[in-house]
Amino acid sequence: SMNASLSYSLLHAAAEKFGTPLYVYHAEKIEQQYQNLLAHFESTQTKFFYACKALTNVHILKVIKDMGCNIDCSSINEVRLALHVGFLPNNILYTSNSVDFDEISTAVELGVNVNIDSLSNLEKFGQKFGETKAIGVRIRPDVMAGGNLKISTGHIKSKFGIPLTQLDALKLIQEKYKINIRTLHIHTGSEIKDVAVFMKSAEVFDTLLPHFPTVEVLDFGGGFKVPYAPGEEGTDMPQLGAEVNKVMKQLSEKFGRNFTAWFEPGKYMVSEAGFFIAKVNVLKTSGDIIFAGLNTGLNHLIRPMFYDAYHHIDNISSPENPMKQYAVVGNICETDTFAWDRAIPEITEGDLLVFYNAGAYGYEMASNYNARFKPAQVLFQHGEPKLISRADQFEDLLSLQVPL
Ligand code: LLP
C-alpha cells in the first residue's frame, strides 16, 4: 500500500456521504507540496505557477491562491477562471499553443504574462503591440524527455514551441518590431524525474541569452515527476533546487543581470492530493481472470487507457483482506481497463476501491461519454469534507441541446 494523506476511513466516510464515483481532494496536501518547493528553491530568484490544466475547480484554485502560489493557464478560459478567483494579472501566466491570435491579444490586454509558441503569432504580436508590452517566447529545445511520447513536448517532432533551428527567423521578427522579449520558456514534458533534463534547458538558455539582452525570466515549464507506483521515486527536489539555484547564480553572473526562474508544476501540486473512489458493481470470472467491473470508466479517469498510466488501487472497504489478482475494468462500452493482473485486497461486490494520484488530469479530462454523468468532487480542508462540484443530473445532459 502507499501512504495516503487521507485515511481510508475519511475516504470511506466521504463516499458514504456524497456517493460514488467520487473525486476527493486534500487541501493540506496541496499546501505541503508547495511548501516543499519553497523549501528547496532560492525564494528571491524563483516563482512557481500552478499549471491549472491539471485541475481547474475554482475552490482548488482558491486554495492555490490563498497559499501565495501563482497560476499558469493554457487557454483564455483558464485565464478567466484565474481572474474570477482573484489572482492578480501579474501572477497569471498564459502559455498558448496553436491559438488564434485574438486569444493572445486578449490575454495581453488583460495584463497577464504571455508566452508565445510560434513565429506566426510572434509576428502578429509585433504588428499589434510592437515594443509596448513584454512577452515570452517558447523554445523547442529538441530534447526528448517525459514519461511517454504522448506527454513529451520538447523533441524534434513536437508541435510545441519555436524550433531552436529557427533562431535567426525569431531574431528577425524581434528586431523588426523591437519586441521586448522578457521570458524564454522551455517545457520538455511531463513526469521528468531526471534533474539533468532541467539542466539541459539551462544550457539551452545559456546559448540563447547572448541573443536576447532584454530577457529577465527563464521559464523551465512544468513536468516534475511524482510517485505513482509504490516504491517509485519522484523528482529529487532537494537536488533539483540546489542545481537550479546554482545555475541561476552562474547565469546571472555570466550575463551581468539578475534572472528569475519560473516553474509551472501541475502534477506536483495536485496529483497526490486527489483520490478517486468507485464501487465494484460486478465480479466476473473468465478462466483465471477475475474482472472487477466498476461504476465508472474511461469517461471519468482516462489516464490508464490513454497513457497506459499506472494508478495504484486499493480496497477501502476491506483493506485487510488477503491479496488477490484482478482485472479492474470500467462500465463504458469500450475496453476501458484500469489495470490488468493487479493485486488488490480480496473484493466483494459493493466494495469501494480508491485510485491514487487522481488529483491531476483526472476529473479535468472527464467526459459525458455514453451519456453518463460526471462525478461529484469533494475537498477536505481543515478535516471537513465539502462538496466543490456536484455530479451531473439528467437535465445537464440536455442543457446544451437547443430545441428545434
Ligand atoms: N507547462 C506547460 C507548458 C505544459 O504543457 C504542462 C503540461 C505543464 C506546464 C504541467 O506539466 P505537469 O507538471 O503537470 O507535468 N494529461 C497528461 C499530462 C499532459 C501535460 C500537458 N502539459 C497526463 O495526464 O499525464
Side-chain angles (χ1 to χ4, degrees), residues 152-326:
S152 300
T153 53
H155 58 87
I156 201 143
K157 286 190 176 166
S158 165
K159 69 164 184 172
F160 292 99
I162 299 165
L164 260 184
T165 49
Q166 292 169 19
L167 176 61
D168 288 344
L170 168 56
K171 279 174 67 183
L172 276 179
I173 296 172
Q174 188 276 321
E175 281 156 16
K176 183 164 155 201
Y177 301 102
K178 300 192 170 51
I179 298 173
N180 177 5
I181 297 184
R182 196 186 48 157
T183 302
L184 296 177
H185 173 279
I186 292 178
H187 170 84
T188 45
S190 195
E191 298 184 22
I192 297 168
K193 180 170 180 302
D194 189 1
V195 169
V197 172
F198 293 97
M199 290 307 111
K200 188 85 198 158
S201 298
E203 275 175 36
V204 174
F205 290 143
D206 191 355
T207 60
L208 288 173
L209 278 170
H211 303 274
F212 298 100
T214 53
V215 164
E216 296 164 8
V217 175
L218 304 178
D219 182 343
F220 289 79
F224 302 152
K225 177 165 172 50
V226 294
Y228 275 82
E232 205 178 46
E233 303 266 338
T235 309
D236 184 336
M237 281 308 160
Q239 191 200 346
L240 180 65
E243 294 202 15
V244 167
N245 293 342
K246 196 168 116 205
V247 79
M248 290 301 290
K249 284 218 175 64
Q250 284 168 351
L251 290 172
S252 294
E253 270 162 33
K254 178 170 175 184
F255 292 94
R257 50 202 152 113
N258 282 328
F259 299 115
T260 306
W262 286 5
F263 287 93
E264 306 158 357
K267 282 178 185 165
Y268 188 80
M269 298 290 287
V270 297
S271 176
E272 294 161 283
F275 303 85
F276 181 50
I277 306 173
K279 181 166 69 79
V280 179
N281 281 338
V282 170
L283 287 175
K284 179 191 286 187
T285 304
S286 160
D288 49 14
I289 303 169
I290 310 173
F291 291 101
L294 308 187
N295 66 346
T296 181
L298 65 71
N299 52 329
H300 295 157
L301 179 62
I302 201 172
R303 300 194 72 258
M305 305 84 187
F306 199 48
Y307 309 111
D308 289 322
Y310 178 98
H311 281 260
H312 195 63
I313 304 173
D314 220 331
N315 181 344
I316 59 173
S317 300
S318 319
E320 306 300 333
N321 275 357
M323 298 302 241
K324 217 170 158 168
Q325 301 292 123
Y326 294 93

Side-chain angles (χ1 to χ4, degrees), residues 7-24 276-280 295 315-318 349-354 376 378 380 385 387:
S7 70
Y8 290 164
S9 63
L10 283 178
L11 291 172
H12 208 278
E16 291 280 304
K17 182 164 180 195
F18 299 101
T20 64
L22 185 70
Y23 273 95
V24 180
F276 181 50
I277 306 173
K279 181 166 69 79
V280 179
N295 66 346
N315 181 344
I316 59 173
S317 300
S318 319
E349 284 186 357
D351 278 357
L352 299 180
L353 304 188
V354 62
V378 166
F380 270 91
L387 191 67

